[in-house]
Amino acid sequence: MFGAFSWPAIASLGSGLLSLGFIAFVWPYRDEDGARLFMAMIGAIALWAFSYGVALLVFDPTLRFLFEIPIWVGTCFTSLLFLAFALEYTGRKDVVRSKAMGGLVALMVCFVGLIATNPWHQLVWRNYRIEPTAGAATVAHTNGVWLFLILMALLILTAGAVL
């Protein structure tokens, strides 16, 4: 079920630890505009990194798939929280607390729901399988249309935050 530690797993788990360290570094500034959203974004990155690091050690396909859910929670909410942070930091708190932002939160929840239920409908990917690489339990699959739509939405959110 669990494999030996591999360098990709160690690197991912190390990234999660660095993320937690960064939250501790930013903690004294938590009352500044955007700081709490920034820390939440780093928390989502930590969730993503830790989940992925552990997932790389799991060779059982069913259990490995279960780790996809927190990986994608972290992935989806990193982009959304980055946008929210950028908006609040630049003085647009009203947008962060708007119905539009609530709609984006709902969209991310729907994306994660699609991924969590993918074994039943195969809309996000098909042929999910473990393909060990460098001692890690990496996966391969055939991408579905919804995976591209999810990734496009995340890219748009991230681009909006950068702009």
Side-chain angles (χ1 to χ4, degrees), residues 27-66:
W27 185 258
Y29 306 99
R30 66 189 174 276
D31 293 326
E32 301 292 325
D33 284 346
R36 291 181 190 270
L37 288 167
F38 184 75
M39 289 188 301
M41 178 191 69
I42 300 301
I45 292 169
L47 174 65
W48 179 0
F50 281 129
S51 299
Y52 191 62
V54 173
L56 288 171
L57 302 173
V58 178
F59 286 84
D60 176 74
T62 303
L63 187 56
R64 174 63 170 82
F65 172 76
L66 291 176

Side-chain angles (χ1 to χ4, degrees), residues 68-139:
E68 293 292 340
I69 298 166
I71 290 168
W72 282 94
V73 168
T75 303
C76 289
F77 282 92
T78 293
S79 294
L80 181 61
L81 287 164
F82 182 39
L83 176 63
F85 156 71
L87 289 167
E88 186 170 302
Y89 186 76
T90 56
R92 296 172 179 90
K93 288 181 184 180
D94 55 324
V95 178
V96 175
R97 290 157 182 81
S98 69
K99 287 182 181 180
M101 188 60 74
L104 289 175
V105 170
L107 182 63
M108 294 303 116
V109 170
C110 288
F111 286 166
V112 172
L114 271 173
I115 289 164
T117 59
N118 192 68
W120 294 282
H121 53 66
Q122 307 285 304
L123 293 173
V124 183
W125 56 68
R126 294 177 311 285
N127 304 321
Y128 185 89
R129 62 199 177 278
I130 305 292
E131 287 198 0
T133 305
T138 60
V139 297

Side-chain angles (χ1 to χ4, degrees), residues 147-161:
L147 181 61
F148 292 111
L149 293 173
I150 291 168
L151 293 174
M152 185 176 67
L154 297 179
L155 286 170
I156 290 168
L157 291 176
T158 302

